[in-house]
Amino acid sequence: MRAMVSAPQPEAVEAGLDILTQGGNVIDAAIGAALVQTAVDPLMCGLAGFGSCHVHLADGTHTLVDFHGRAPRATTPDMWESRIVRECDDGFGFVLSDRANEIGHQCMTSPMTLRAFEQILGRWGTRSLAASLAPAIAHIEEGVLVRPAMNAFWTRPETAGRIDGSARVMRNPAAAKIYAPGGTPLKVGETLRNPDLARTYRRIAEEGTDVFYAGEIADAMIDDIQAHGGLLAHEDLSAAPVDTPPIWVDYRGYRVATNQPPGGGLVIAVMLRILERFDLAGMGHNSPDYVATVSEAMKIATVEKDTRMGDPAFVDVPVDDMLSDAYADRMAERIRRGEKTPVPRMAATGEPKETTHICVADRDGNVVTMTHTLGSSSGSVTDGLGFMYNNAMMVFDPRPGRPGSLAPGKARFSALSPTIVFKGDKPFLALGAPGGTTITMGNLQVILNAVDFGMSAAEAVSAPRFTTTSETIEVTNRIFRGTERELQSRGYPTRRVPYSYFTPIVQAIRMVDGHLDGGADPSGDGMAAGI
């Protein structure tokens, strides 16, 4: 096998493999597959989204392209302070009384995805943007089969103050025309048709991205957004992706490269530095000692995320301190003493988990792992354009004076953390996931599964997982009840979810001695396949 693709959508995997078969490289395959994702998972990702792309090429190229959305320049730090109802239990955003940060035209940051895809393709790919758009256009024009995961999004009931899924596809007339053409959201097995989106993609293919960022599509976007009280203006469309070097940490003889803030890689790095000081394999996979130890590292990193991480253009993030031996020793000793780290929250509620991921690798050591998203989707579509806008403003802290507070031009913190693990100088494991704040916790466990327990990529993404982003350990239904009872006896509150597989939906490719094996999280609809 010379190359492999892993993604939560079979259509994206097939598109990536087709491109590789036709002579494209891993960059071509990743961008072509990602564009197909925007066509077949249009509420998880899209042209008006944001993300993080980790590129490692055999010629020595190694960088992360950060394309997080930026808050509109009309943003003010206190504009939502009086409307706060509660904070999400895991710290992924805030609920406002009018939900203006979650749905509608005020919750959008600058649309970065299309510009990032064009730049990535132009720098390291061999295909044109028009050619890369062709598979996505074909899917849109053929019509997209509604999968269970898609239907689950727009039929999800309101939970603890979070708006119900149907509102995201029915509140806005232009969105309802696409996703609920008969007055109710499309059902599993029905066909999603979006001729407006096909026309938009064809226009971009013919005229280039300038039409989206500075031409007639840009005019239509801004006119619609501002007519509905939104904050985005033409000047906000000039925001551009930036290259950042990876954060590096050593872990048990491996070298782990992940993304800088405002991405979530630092969270993973902090946890790995702490956990290297424990014999996790000796504890046994998912034993009470293992779950408790890893959960405490998760909680420590979550508190750091809440209090000291943010957009480095606005916040002094003490990366060196959090990755120092002294810090890791201190935190590990705290865990050994049995201390339980408190994770304060204003109140409790649920978390949206809408995002997607793509991994592509070949046996020569060329790797792309990229997470891109609409946040949890704004529910807003400009009539005639066909694509939905992001709602990345939701995760900003409406309280001024904090690392995550609102500010014009600022990027929100995100758990997006496409990561590559190296054995020596060779890539060993590429991974990433959608899933809100749980992304970093899923990525961490897949790394531990592969490194500490020697699992293949498929085994690593399929093993039972848990998540601790609050003071409660959330366990999936395949974590043994005896383990849960032991954790409770130690004073840990737990919550068992009814699912055997649960978010985040981790995708991974492992590379061992020139051989590739891939894994697609069973909680999604995807697959891993190679040529």
Side-chain angles (χ1 to χ4, degrees):
M1 188 178 298
R2 68 176 179 87
M4 178 166 278
V5 181
S6 179
Q9 308 84 6
E11 301 92 338
V13 173
E14 185 174 12
L17 293 178
D18 286 346
I19 292 168
L20 291 166
T21 301
Q22 294 161 11
N25 63 20
V26 296
I27 297 292
D28 300 322
I31 298 303
L35 286 165
V36 167
Q37 290 177 315
T38 69
V40 303
D41 241 345
L43 295 181
M44 303 296 105
C45 58
L47 302 183
F50 59 98
S52 179
C53 182
H54 195 160
V55 176
H56 176 270
L57 302 179
D59 66 5
T61 299
H62 192 183
T63 191
L64 285 119
V65 180
D66 173 10
F67 53 106
H68 281 80
R70 300 279 163 181
R73 298 183 194 184
T75 300
T76 58
D78 61 351
M79 66 184 189
W80 288 334
E81 186 177 17
S82 64
R83 308 184 216 171
I84 300 172
V85 174
R86 62 177 67 89
E87 182 181 5
C88 297
D89 185 50
D90 63 1
F92 192 82
F94 289 76
V95 178
L96 302 185
S97 57
D98 60 0
R99 296 182 167 120
N101 65 335
E102 182 183 6
I103 192 167
H105 290 77
Q106 282 194 14
C107 60
M108 308 163 190
T109 61
S110 54
M112 300 287 283
T113 296
L114 179 60
R115 179 168 280 142
F117 286 3
E118 179 190 41
Q119 289 188 8
I120 293 165
L121 194 64
R123 293 168 70 183
W124 302 297
T126 66
R127 292 162 63 96
S128 67
L129 179 63
S132 299
L133 280 163
I137 293 169
H139 276 287
I140 300 166
E141 293 185 336
E142 179 182 341
V144 175
L145 195 66
V146 175
R147 304 183 310 277
M150 296 168 65
N151 176 263
F153 172 77
W154 53 60
T155 57
R156 183 174 60 197
E158 181 173 328
T159 303
R162 281 293 182 205
I163 201 160
D164 63 282
S166 64
R168 298 188 193 279
V169 297
M170 294 185 67
R171 179 177 289 193
N172 176 271
K177 181 177 72 172
I178 300 166
Y179 300 105
T184 58
L186 291 168
K187 298 179 177 60
V188 174
E190 294 187 324
T191 300
L192 170 65
R193 301 193 184 280
N194 191 349
D196 289 344
L197 186 60
R199 282 190 290 270
T200 294
Y201 277 37
R202 284 198 174 280
R203 189 164 186 188
I204 293 168
E206 294 166 1
E207 301 180 39
T209 58
D210 280 351
V211 71
F212 185 92
Y213 287 104
E216 292 183 2
I217 293 176
D219 292 340
M221 285 194 293
I222 298 304
D223 287 349
D224 178 46
I225 290 167
Q226 295 190 347
H228 290 89
L231 302 175
L232 277 176
H234 278 285
E235 61 184 356
D236 297 307
L237 301 183
S238 63
V242 296
D243 280 13
T244 59
I247 289 175
W248 287 95
V249 292
D250 293 332
Y251 183 74
R252 305 203 196 284
Y254 292 78
R255 300 168 64 237
V256 181
T258 190
N259 62 342
Q260 301 269 1
L266 182 57
V267 173
I268 295 175
V270 167
M271 293 187 289
L272 288 173
R273 292 284 288 147
I274 296 168
L275 292 172
E276 190 176 29
R277 284 146 173 81
F278 295 88
D279 180 9
L280 299 181
M283 294 177 184
H285 189 257
N286 284 348
S287 68
D289 285 344
Y290 178 86
V291 176
T293 300
V294 176
S295 290
E296 284 302 326
M298 290 176 172
K299 290 162 64 181
I300 289 167
T302 294
V303 172
E304 294 288 24
K305 180 264 294 182
D306 290 346
T307 59
R308 296 207 290 174
M309 297 185 195
D311 183 347
F314 291 79
V315 179
D316 183 13
V317 183
V319 175
D320 290 344
D321 173 58
M322 284 187 271
L323 298 184
S324 68
D325 286 337
Y327 175 91
D329 289 343
R330 190 167 67 250
M331 295 301 107
E333 183 56 33
R334 197 163 86 182
I335 294 172
R336 290 192 183 96
R337 290 197 303 267
E339 291 186 25
K340 294 182 175 65
T341 297
V343 185
R345 296 276 182 255
M346 287 182 64
T349 185
E351 176 203 5
K353 300 176 171 71
E354 285 69 56
T355 302
T356 197
H357 191 84
I358 181 76
C359 287
V360 183
D362 67 21
R363 64 188 176 197
D364 296 324
N366 299 297
V367 179
V368 180
T369 176
M370 177 170 65
T371 314
H372 59 118
T373 182
L374 293 177
S376 58
S377 303
S378 66
S380 297
V381 173
T382 294
D383 194 29
L385 298 184
F387 58 85
M388 190 166 283
Y389 298 106
N390 72 76
N391 70 340
M393 293 287 280
M394 186 190 71
V395 181
F396 282 108
D397 194 329
R399 301 167 296 181
R402 299 169 185 264
S405 297
L406 289 158
K410 188 177 185 180
R412 57 169 239 182
F413 173 84
S414 165
L416 307 184
S417 46
T419 298
I420 304 175
V421 180
F422 290 79
K423 190 172 185 178
D425 294 328
K426 303 293 186 182
F428 165 73
L429 183 72
L431 71 154
T437 299
T438 66
I439 290 172
T440 51
M441 308 312 170
N443 286 343
L444 169 73
Q445 287 172 85
V446 170
I447 294 170
L448 300 181
N449 290 345
V451 173
D452 290 78
F453 297 95
M455 296 185 190
S456 68
E459 292 169 333
V461 301
S462 302
R465 289 201 299 266
F466 54 93
T467 294
T468 313
T469 54
S470 67
E471 293 175 15
T472 298
I473 300 176
E474 184 177 69
V475 299
T476 53
N477 200 39
R478 292 184 301 143
I479 298 289
F480 292 147
R481 282 162 174 77
T483 298
E484 185 180 15
R485 286 192 295 270
E486 174 61 24
L487 292 167
Q488 291 170 345
S489 74
R490 299 182 186 186
Y492 285 103
T494 65
R495 184 174 81 87
R496 178 170 292 271
V497 301
Y499 306 101
S500 291
Y501 302 94
F502 201 48
T503 50
I505 307 173
V506 188
Q507 309 299 131
I509 299 175
R510 193 177 66 147
M511 296 144 276
V512 180
D513 298 327
H515 299 284
L516 306 174
D517 64 82
D521 197 309
S523 60
D525 294 332
M527 64 186 294
I531 57 170

PDB file of all heavy atoms in Angstrom, residues 435-457:
ATOM      1  N   GLY A 435     -15.175  17.216  17.449  1.00  0.00           N
ATOM      2  CA  GLY A 435     -15.797  16.879  18.729  1.00  0.00           C
ATOM      3  C   GLY A 435     -15.700  17.935  19.799  1.00  0.00           C
ATOM      4  O   GLY A 435     -15.657  17.613  20.983  1.00  0.00           O
ATOM      5  N   GLY A 436     -15.662  19.229  19.427  1.00  0.00           N
ATOM      6  CA  GLY A 436     -15.649  20.268  20.445  1.00  0.00           C
ATOM      7  C   GLY A 436     -14.440  20.139  21.359  1.00  0.00           C
ATOM      8  O   GLY A 436     -13.356  19.727  20.954  1.00  0.00           O
ATOM      9  N   THR A 437     -14.611  20.478  22.633  1.00  0.00           N
ATOM     10  CA  THR A 437     -13.517  20.408  23.585  1.00  0.00           C
ATOM     11  C   THR A 437     -13.032  18.982  23.779  1.00  0.00           C
ATOM     12  O   THR A 437     -11.892  18.751  24.180  1.00  0.00           O
ATOM     13  CB  THR A 437     -13.957  21.017  24.935  1.00  0.00           C
ATOM     14  OG1 THR A 437     -14.296  22.386  24.705  1.00  0.00           O
ATOM     15  CG2 THR A 437     -12.857  20.978  25.962  1.00  0.00           C
ATOM     16  N   THR A 438     -13.865  17.983  23.458  1.00  0.00           N
ATOM     17  CA  THR A 438     -13.444  16.594  23.616  1.00  0.00           C
ATOM     18  C   THR A 438     -12.385  16.186  22.599  1.00  0.00           C
ATOM     19  O   THR A 438     -11.781  15.125  22.730  1.00  0.00           O
ATOM     20  CB  THR A 438     -14.641  15.634  23.502  1.00  0.00           C
ATOM     21  OG1 THR A 438     -15.173  15.668  22.163  1.00  0.00           O
ATOM     22  CG2 THR A 438     -15.745  16.010  24.477  1.00  0.00           C
ATOM     23  N   ILE A 439     -12.139  17.009  21.579  1.00  0.00           N
ATOM     24  CA  ILE A 439     -11.138  16.670  20.557  1.00  0.00           C
ATOM     25  C   ILE A 439      -9.800  16.324  21.192  1.00  0.00           C
ATOM     26  O   ILE A 439      -9.194  15.290  20.887  1.00  0.00           O
ATOM     27  CB  ILE A 439     -10.962  17.830  19.565  1.00  0.00           C
ATOM     28  CG1 ILE A 439     -12.203  17.981  18.675  1.00  0.00           C
ATOM     29  CG2 ILE A 439      -9.715  17.625  18.707  1.00  0.00           C
ATOM     30  CD1 ILE A 439     -12.177  19.233  17.807  1.00  0.00           C
ATOM     31  N   THR A 440      -9.305  17.184  22.054  1.00  0.00           N
ATOM     32  CA  THR A 440      -7.980  16.971  22.630  1.00  0.00           C
ATOM     33  C   THR A 440      -7.951  15.703  23.476  1.00  0.00           C
ATOM     34  O   THR A 440      -6.937  14.994  23.510  1.00  0.00           O
ATOM     35  CB  THR A 440      -7.557  18.174  23.487  1.00  0.00           C
ATOM     36  OG1 THR A 440      -8.609  18.488  24.423  1.00  0.00           O
ATOM     37  CG2 THR A 440      -7.298  19.392  22.621  1.00  0.00           C
ATOM     38  N   MET A 441      -9.064  15.390  24.139  1.00  0.00           N
ATOM     39  CA  MET A 441      -9.098  14.214  25.003  1.00  0.00           C
ATOM     40  C   MET A 441      -9.134  12.927  24.182  1.00  0.00           C
ATOM     41  O   MET A 441      -8.520  11.924  24.551  1.00  0.00           O
ATOM     42  CB  MET A 441     -10.300  14.289  25.942  1.00  0.00           C
ATOM     43  CG  MET A 441     -10.394  15.595  26.714  1.00  0.00           C
ATOM     44  SD  MET A 441      -8.794  16.064  27.474  1.00  0.00           S
ATOM     45  CE  MET A 441      -9.132  17.729  28.025  1.00  0.00           C
ATOM     46  N   GLY A 442      -9.831  12.944  23.060  1.00  0.00           N
ATOM     47  CA  GLY A 442      -9.814  11.792  22.171  1.00  0.00           C
ATOM     48  C   GLY A 442      -8.466  11.613  21.507  1.00  0.00           C
ATOM     49  O   GLY A 442      -7.928  10.494  21.423  1.00  0.00           O
ATOM     50  N   ASN A 443      -7.880  12.701  21.019  1.00  0.00           N
ATOM     51  CA  ASN A 443      -6.557  12.625  20.405  1.00  0.00           C
ATOM     52  C   ASN A 443      -5.521  12.094  21.394  1.00  0.00           C
ATOM     53  O   ASN A 443      -4.665  11.273  21.048  1.00  0.00           O
ATOM     54  CB  ASN A 443      -6.128  13.989  19.883  1.00  0.00           C
ATOM     55  CG  ASN A 443      -6.850  14.402  18.620  1.00  0.00           C
ATOM     56  OD1 ASN A 443      -7.449  13.578  17.935  1.00  0.00           O
ATOM     57  ND2 ASN A 443      -6.804  15.682  18.292  1.00  0.00           N
ATOM     58  N   LEU A 444      -5.589  12.574  22.640  1.00  0.00           N
ATOM     59  CA  LEU A 444      -4.665  12.087  23.669  1.00  0.00           C
ATOM     60  C   LEU A 444      -4.762  10.572  23.819  1.00  0.00           C
ATOM     61  O   LEU A 444      -3.749   9.866  23.807  1.00  0.00           O
ATOM     62  CB  LEU A 444      -4.976  12.756  25.010  1.00  0.00           C
ATOM     63  CG  LEU A 444      -4.245  12.133  26.211  1.00  0.00           C
ATOM     64  CD1 LEU A 444      -2.770  12.504  26.194  1.00  0.00           C
ATOM     65  CD2 LEU A 444      -4.903  12.533  27.529  1.00  0.00           C
ATOM     66  N   GLN A 445      -5.982  10.056  23.959  1.00  0.00           N
ATOM     67  CA  GLN A 445      -6.134   8.629  24.226  1.00  0.00           C
ATOM     68  C   GLN A 445      -5.696   7.774  23.046  1.00  0.00           C
ATOM     69  O   GLN A 445      -5.165   6.675  23.232  1.00  0.00           O
ATOM     70  CB  GLN A 445      -7.583   8.332  24.619  1.00  0.00           C
ATOM     71  CG  GLN A 445      -7.892   8.842  26.021  1.00  0.00           C
ATOM     72  CD  GLN A 445      -9.362   8.736  26.375  1.00  0.00           C
ATOM     73  OE1 GLN A 445      -9.835   7.694  26.821  1.00  0.00           O
ATOM     74  NE2 GLN A 445     -10.091   9.823  26.178  1.00  0.00           N
ATOM     75  N   VAL A 446      -5.885   8.268  21.831  1.00  0.00           N
ATOM     76  CA  VAL A 446      -5.409   7.514  20.667  1.00  0.00           C
ATOM     77  C   VAL A 446      -3.880   7.469  20.655  1.00  0.00           C
ATOM     78  O   VAL A 446      -3.274   6.433  20.346  1.00  0.00           O
ATOM     79  CB  VAL A 446      -5.970   8.106  19.368  1.00  0.00           C
ATOM     80  CG1 VAL A 446      -5.304   7.503  18.139  1.00  0.00           C
ATOM     81  CG2 VAL A 446      -7.487   7.869  19.310  1.00  0.00           C
ATOM     82  N   ILE A 447      -3.221   8.570  21.016  1.00  0.00           N
ATOM     83  CA  ILE A 447      -1.761   8.562  21.133  1.00  0.00           C
ATOM     84  C   ILE A 447      -1.316   7.560  22.198  1.00  0.00           C
ATOM     85  O   ILE A 447      -0.404   6.746  21.974  1.00  0.00           O
ATOM     86  CB  ILE A 447      -1.229   9.973  21.457  1.00  0.00           C
ATOM     87  CG1 ILE A 447      -1.486  10.923  20.292  1.00  0.00           C
ATOM     88  CG2 ILE A 447       0.265   9.930  21.790  1.00  0.00           C
ATOM     89  CD1 ILE A 447      -1.208  12.385  20.607  1.00  0.00           C
ATOM     90  N   LEU A 448      -1.950   7.590  23.367  1.00  0.00           N
ATOM     91  CA  LEU A 448      -1.597   6.646  24.432  1.00  0.00           C
ATOM     92  C   LEU A 448      -1.833   5.211  23.986  1.00  0.00           C
ATOM     93  O   LEU A 448      -1.022   4.313  24.269  1.00  0.00           O
ATOM     94  CB  LEU A 448      -2.417   6.944  25.691  1.00  0.00           C
ATOM     95  CG  LEU A 448      -2.267   8.338  26.314  1.00  0.00           C
ATOM     96  CD1 LEU A 448      -3.135   8.445  27.568  1.00  0.00           C
ATOM     97  CD2 LEU A 448      -0.818   8.645  26.637  1.00  0.00           C
ATOM     98  N   ASN A 449      -2.941   4.986  23.291  1.00  0.00           N
ATOM     99  CA  ASN A 449      -3.251   3.632  22.835  1.00  0.00           C
ATOM    100  C   ASN A 449      -2.179   3.097  21.892  1.00  0.00           C
ATOM    101  O   ASN A 449      -1.789   1.936  21.952  1.00  0.00           O
ATOM    102  CB  ASN A 449      -4.613   3.607  22.135  1.00  0.00           C
ATOM    103  CG  ASN A 449      -5.770   3.825  23.085  1.00  0.00           C
ATOM    104  OD1 ASN A 449      -5.623   3.724  24.303  1.00  0.00           O
ATOM    105  ND2 ASN A 449      -6.933   4.142  22.540  1.00  0.00           N
ATOM    106  N   ALA A 450      -1.708   3.968  20.989  1.00  0.00           N
ATOM    107  CA  ALA A 450      -0.714   3.547  20.002  1.00  0.00           C
ATOM    108  C   ALA A 450       0.680   3.425  20.606  1.00  0.00           C
ATOM    109  O   ALA A 450       1.421   2.480  20.294  1.00  0.00           O
ATOM    110  CB  ALA A 450      -0.696   4.525  18.827  1.00  0.00           C
ATOM    111  N   VAL A 451       1.050   4.367  21.476  1.00  0.00           N
ATOM    112  CA  VAL A 451       2.412   4.396  22.012  1.00  0.00           C
ATOM    113  C   VAL A 451       2.563   3.499  23.238  1.00  0.00           C
ATOM    114  O   VAL A 451       3.454   2.648  23.310  1.00  0.00           O
ATOM    115  CB  VAL A 451       2.824   5.847  22.340  1.00  0.00           C
ATOM    116  CG1 VAL A 451       4.171   5.873  23.069  1.00  0.00           C
ATOM    117  CG2 VAL A 451       2.898   6.682  21.061  1.00  0.00           C
ATOM    118  N   ASP A 452       1.690   3.658  24.218  1.00  0.00           N
ATOM    119  CA  ASP A 452       1.832   2.905  25.468  1.00  0.00           C
ATOM    120  C   ASP A 452       1.341   1.469  25.353  1.00  0.00           C
ATOM    121  O   ASP A 452       1.831   0.589  26.067  1.00  0.00           O
ATOM    122  CB  ASP A 452       1.067   3.608  26.587  1.00  0.00           C
ATOM    123  CG  ASP A 452       1.707   4.908  27.012  1.00  0.00           C
ATOM    124  OD1 ASP A 452       1.543   5.909  26.298  1.00  0.00           O
ATOM    125  OD2 ASP A 452       2.374   4.930  28.048  1.00  0.00           O
ATOM    126  N   PHE A 453       0.364   1.237  24.482  1.00  0.00           N
ATOM    127  CA  PHE A 453      -0.261  -0.082  24.426  1.00  0.00           C
ATOM    128  C   PHE A 453      -0.074  -0.785  23.081  1.00  0.00           C
ATOM    129  O   PHE A 453      -0.593  -1.881  22.880  1.00  0.00           O
ATOM    130  CB  PHE A 453      -1.743   0.029  24.776  1.00  0.00           C
ATOM    131  CG  PHE A 453      -1.980   0.509  26.180  1.00  0.00           C
ATOM    132  CD1 PHE A 453      -2.203   1.860  26.433  1.00  0.00           C
ATOM    133  CD2 PHE A 453      -1.927  -0.365  27.253  1.00  0.00           C
ATOM    134  CE1 PHE A 453      -2.390   2.316  27.737  1.00  0.00           C
ATOM    135  CE2 PHE A 453      -2.114   0.079  28.558  1.00  0.00           C
ATOM    136  CZ  PHE A 453      -2.343   1.422  28.807  1.00  0.00           C
ATOM    137  N   GLY A 454       0.667  -0.166  22.152  1.00  0.00           N
ATOM    138  CA  GLY A 454       1.028  -0.824  20.912  1.00  0.00           C
ATOM    139  C   GLY A 454      -0.131  -1.134  19.987  1.00  0.00           C
ATOM    140  O   GLY A 454      -0.045  -2.058  19.164  1.00  0.00           O
ATOM    141  N   MET A 455      -1.199  -0.382  20.073  1.00  0.00           N
ATOM    142  CA  MET A 455      -2.367  -0.654  19.237  1.00  0.00           C
ATOM    143  C   MET A 455      -2.156  -0.167  17.813  1.00  0.00           C
ATOM    144  O   MET A 455      -1.452   0.811  17.565  1.00  0.00           O
ATOM    145  CB  MET A 455      -3.614   0.026  19.821  1.00  0.00           C
ATOM    146  CG  MET A 455      -4.048  -0.487  21.167  1.00  0.00           C
ATOM    147  SD  MET A 455      -5.610   0.302  21.682  1.00  0.00           S
ATOM    148  CE  MET A 455      -5.698  -0.239  23.392  1.00  0.00           C
ATOM    149  N   SER A 456      -2.796  -0.841  16.866  1.00  0.00           N
ATOM    150  CA  SER A 456      -2.862  -0.348  15.494  1.00  0.00           C
ATOM    151  C   SER A 456      -3.736   0.891  15.452  1.00  0.00           C
ATOM    152  O   SER A 456      -4.417   1.229  16.433  1.00  0.00           O
ATOM    153  CB  SER A 456      -3.455  -1.424  14.586  1.00  0.00           C
ATOM    154  OG  SER A 456      -4.834  -1.632  14.894  1.00  0.00           O
ATOM    155  N   ALA A 457      -3.766   1.567  14.303  1.00  0.00           N
ATOM    156  CA  ALA A 457      -4.606   2.760  14.189  1.00  0.00           C
ATOM    157  C   ALA A 457      -6.075   2.416  14.403  1.00  0.00           C
ATOM    158  O   ALA A 457      -6.807   3.132  15.106  1.00  0.00           O
ATOM    159  CB  ALA A 457      -4.407   3.414  12.825  1.00  0.00           C
TER     160      ALA A 457
END
